[in-house]
Amino acid sequence: MIDQMYRKAVLTVAGQKAIENAVRARGWGMAQRFVAGETPQTAIQAVHDLKKDGIMANLDLLGEFIESPAQCTQFADNVITMLDAAHAAGITPYVSIKLSSVGQGKTVDGEDLGLTNARRIIRRAREYGGFVCLDMEDHPRVDQTLAQFRTLHGEFGGQHVGTVLQSYLYRTEKDRASLDDLSPNLRIVKGAYLEPETVAYPQKADVDAAYRRLVYAHMQAGNYVNVATHDESIIHDVQMYALAHGISKDAFEFQMLYGIRRDLQRNLAAAGYRVRAYIPYGRDWYPYFSRRIAETPRNAMFVLRGMLKG
């Protein structure tokens, strides 16, 4: 409950326009700890840097709840530009997209624009042997996102598209089981949006327990799972579970956020585990940055110290 209260308080404060303006004016230097610059070039350099340590990359152009259809299509064009740039740099592209950013919920020419633009992005990624992860957003979007994932999986196959499930939602274990017929590539996260207790566990212990159940169930079903957490106790438990059940290190990977626990990322990679860093980039960094500082008081203190020094 304390964790939920802390996150709610930070996100409420961060949502105030005066706070946003102050952080945007003085906070880019701090945001660079979590965000790999504002351009494809800076993001690609971050990919090359991580590769030296045996760490793979998941690129994410930041931008949420973009309003007009034209802006959504432009955002999709920008993602495709990143795919082209990554390929040109010798990188097999792996990107994440939020369907709201490319038009989910907006109908153009009789079809959901998010689905139309996601097809364009995945089609280009497939040309380069790449992969697109459909991020999960707040709970009202879950049903549509899962339905569109099922459609896109049928069109492009699981080697080119996956999605995300959030352990703090009560519904998620049933959602995971409902996808087993696809043998999907899933990224399991705890969840970073501020959700009401009617749909999400308020207690961290319950979120963590659900997280373990989701990962173990997906492993047991023989599906590839992306274990997206910095929680060392969960990482250890997943390692032990895989060892006890004869699950190969090639059947799953650990995913962590850019700029957080780099030592842990390097140690896991050195131990022979597949490790991928989630690398956000772009000018619309404030909402993402806000969720990162809301995760732990340590992150919030990092920002406060930086603001005071400024």
Side-chain angles (χ1 to χ4, degrees):
M1 181 65 72
I2 292 176
D3 296 292
Q4 182 79 351
M5 291 173 61
Y6 166 76
R7 183 167 59 185
K8 182 176 181 179
V10 171
L11 291 176
T12 298
V13 171
Q16 296 177 13
K17 196 63 180 177
I19 298 296
E20 178 178 348
N21 290 340
V23 174
R24 283 188 179 276
R26 303 173 64 185
W28 173 239
M30 295 172 289
Q32 286 181 299
R33 171 177 171 175
F34 306 106
V35 180
E38 297 188 347
T39 68
Q41 290 70 35
T42 56
I44 287 171
Q45 184 57 54
V47 174
H48 286 309
D49 291 342
L50 288 169
K51 189 176 181 180
K52 297 173 185 176
D53 291 322
I55 298 169
M56 301 175 291
N58 175 4
L59 291 161
D60 182 18
L61 174 59
L62 297 173
E64 301 177 35
F65 304 107
I66 297 168
E67 292 302 321
S68 75
Q71 289 175 319
C72 292
T73 297
Q74 181 60 58
F75 189 90
D77 290 342
N78 292 342
V79 175
I80 290 171
T81 295
M82 165 55 86
L83 294 171
D84 294 339
H87 176 69
I91 297 166
T92 300
Y94 186 122
V95 301
S96 287
I97 61 171
K98 288 180 172 61
L99 288 170
S100 68
S101 297
V102 296
Q104 186 184 69
K106 298 174 174 62
T107 301
V108 175
D109 296 329
E111 182 175 70
D112 185 84
L113 182 60
L115 187 60
T116 299
N117 280 326
R119 282 194 180 102
R120 294 199 299 124
I121 292 168
I122 299 168
R123 188 175 297 115
R124 184 63 61 87
R126 182 176 63 180
E127 291 178 17
Y128 301 142
F131 186 86
V132 178
C133 180
L134 308 178
D135 274 347
M136 193 60 70
E137 301 178 67
D138 52 347
H139 77 274
R141 293 184 179 270
V142 173
D143 283 330
Q144 188 174 19
T145 297
L146 291 180
Q148 291 181 342
F149 167 63
R150 182 171 285 276
T151 296
L152 294 165
H153 188 284
E155 295 175 2
F156 295 97
Q159 69 272 37
H160 297 296
V161 62
T163 193
V164 178
L165 294 180
Q166 302 170 113
S167 72
Y168 69 171
L169 297 180
Y170 302 137
R171 60 174 291 170
T172 300
E173 289 181 73
K174 289 183 178 179
D175 287 337
R176 193 217 63 79
S178 75
L179 297 171
D180 268 342
D181 62 302
L182 301 180
S183 298
N185 180 315
L186 294 182
R187 184 174 193 252
I188 308 299
V189 303
K190 293 183 182 181
Y193 291 88
L194 186 60
E195 298 283 16
E197 293 184 22
T198 53
V199 301
Y201 294 110
Q203 301 288 348
K204 180 180 183 299
D206 293 327
V207 176
D208 290 352
Y211 190 97
R212 289 178 170 86
R213 291 194 300 270
L214 286 163
V215 171
Y216 299 162
H218 211 55
M219 285 181 160
Q220 283 288 17
N223 302 322
Y224 194 85
V225 58
N226 305 286
V227 184
T229 183
H230 302 92
D231 189 323
E232 290 189 72
S233 66
I234 290 179
I235 289 171
H236 176 267
D237 288 349
V238 169
Q239 291 173 313
M240 294 301 100
Y241 186 90
L243 185 63
H245 292 83
I247 297 169
S248 168
K249 290 180 179 178
D250 293 331
F252 64 100
E253 66 186 56
F254 292 108
Q255 294 194 358
M256 300 185 195
L257 299 174
Y258 177 75
I260 299 179
R261 291 305 310 271
R262 294 175 182 177
D263 58 329
L264 180 57
Q265 295 178 34
R266 288 192 291 264
N267 290 342
L268 287 168
Y273 290 97
R274 294 169 61 87
V275 180
R276 191 179 306 274
Y278 182 88
I279 303 180
Y281 72 99
R283 294 180 179 178
D284 190 17
W285 51 266
Y286 183 76
Y288 176 85
F289 183 56
S290 298
R291 290 198 294 274
R292 295 291 75 78
I293 63 175
E295 287 177 342
T296 69
R298 181 176 62 254
N299 289 349
M301 289 303 297
F302 167 77
V303 173
L304 181 59
R305 285 195 299 270
M307 293 291 285
L308 291 175
K309 287 179 182 177

